[in-house]
Amino acid sequence: SYELTQSPSVSVSPGQTASITCSGDKLGDKYVCWYQQKLGQSPILVIYQDFKRPSGIPERFSGSNSGNTATLTISGTQAMDEADYYCQTWDSHTFVFGSGTRVTVV
Amino acid sequence: DVQLVESGGGLVQPGGSLRLSCAASGFNVSSNYMSWVRQAPGKGLEWVSVIYSGGSTYYADSVKGRFTISRDNSKNTLNVQMSSLRVDDTAVYYCARVVGSWYYFDNWGQGTLVTVST
């Protein structure tokens, strides 16, 4: 079965750039999306189809996907961005989530 | 506005059964792909099942043969019948709408907690 790998945690200072990676075999051949989940809340979609932002998601969130790695970048990180982030793709009628990355703003 | 509201969670003994429902508003469940995703306490997201607009259904290996996804078009609800429940099925269960053909979840419910324990 297909697997996605994320690093467990990322720390970033306010105003700096956070990069969260998601790895999988030939991931660049698939579409990747990203969800943000704050403590005690449901996930929300922040990036879809590799780099597109849903309405209402700030421009500081951006995405890319090439080769075996997809990346979610948060530019000018704010305290409100502290959350768990999950990548997700689809493979043969199966939805696959990464293990999640906790972003801490310190 | 799109809204998804889950119900039916609770405490059940191992080997027992439970039925979850998800009431949708702002769109038709029947013409969308709909899915269940769960999250065990302190753990990550795990996809459970999907039903396509055409009626095809698919399941994660961990629940195949034990869970059955369905929809009630007259009530605009998504359901999942869970049987032979195990302790490791304990999780918050989310209902989510899938953007068809692109296979991502654009709307999520608030979740309902299922606890499998003696």
Side-chain angles (χ1 to χ4, degrees):
Chain A
S1 60
Y2 196 81
E3 294 184 0
L4 294 174
T5 301
Q6 295 182 243
S7 54
S9 62
V10 167
S11 293
V12 60
S13 300
Q16 298 304 303
T17 297
S19 294
I20 305 159
T21 59
C22 174
S23 300
D25 184 48
K26 298 180 182 178
L27 186 57
D29 292 343
K30 305 177 183 296
Y31 280 116
V32 173
C33 62
W34 293 88
Y35 304 93
Q36 176 194 70
Q37 186 180 33
K38 296 182 179 180
L39 192 63
Q41 299 183 16
S42 302
I44 64 168
L45 180 71
V46 294
I47 292 289
Y48 65 99
Q49 289 179 243
D50 294 341
F51 61 87
K52 298 180 180 179
R53 271 191 322 274
S55 173
I57 300 302
E59 292 184 6
R60 63 180 180 275
F61 289 88
S62 62
S64 64
N65 183 21
S66 180
N68 294 323
T69 304
T71 303
L72 173 68
T73 302
I74 312 173
S75 304
T77 306
Q78 299 183 10
M80 68 174 65
D81 300 329
E82 189 162 280
D84 293 328
Y85 292 84
Y86 296 89
C87 58
Q88 180 249 309
T89 192
W90 180 87
D91 180 74
S92 301
H93 301 296
T94 298
F95 295 77
V96 182
F97 287 98
S99 51
T101 298
R102 176 153 296 176
V103 171
T104 303
V105 183
V106 294
Chain B
D1 282 0
V2 170
Q3 191 173 14
L4 298 166
V5 179
E6 300 92 337
S7 61
L11 175 63
V12 61
Q13 292 187 339
S17 299
L18 204 60
R19 182 180 177 86
L20 305 182
S21 293
C22 171
S25 57
F27 72 101
N28 289 325
V29 163
S30 62
S31 55
N32 282 267
Y33 296 3
M34 297 295 298
S35 194
W36 290 97
V37 177
R38 69 183 181 183
Q39 186 170 36
K43 302 297 184 182
L45 301 172
E46 179 190 16
W47 172 72
V48 172
S49 181
V50 65
I51 182 167
Y52 292 160
S53 52
S56 298
T57 59
Y58 296 90
Y59 300 90
D61 287 344
S62 58
V63 307
K64 199 172 295 182
R66 301 188 299 121
F67 288 16
T68 302
I69 192 172
S70 63
R71 63 190 179 209
D72 185 332
N73 296 341
S74 66
K75 296 181 179 179
N76 207 33
T77 60
L78 176 72
N79 305 302
V80 61
Q81 178 68 43
M82 306 184 296
S83 60
S84 302
L85 283 163
R86 310 188 298 223
V87 171
D88 62 1
D89 292 319
T90 295
V92 173
Y93 285 74
Y94 295 101
C95 158
R97 187 176 73 170
V98 181
V99 176
S101 299
W102 303 111
Y103 302 104
Y104 62 87
F105 307 103
D106 68 340
N107 282 277
W108 298 67
Q110 86 288 351
T112 187
L113 176 63
V114 172
T115 303
V116 185
S117 175
T118 56

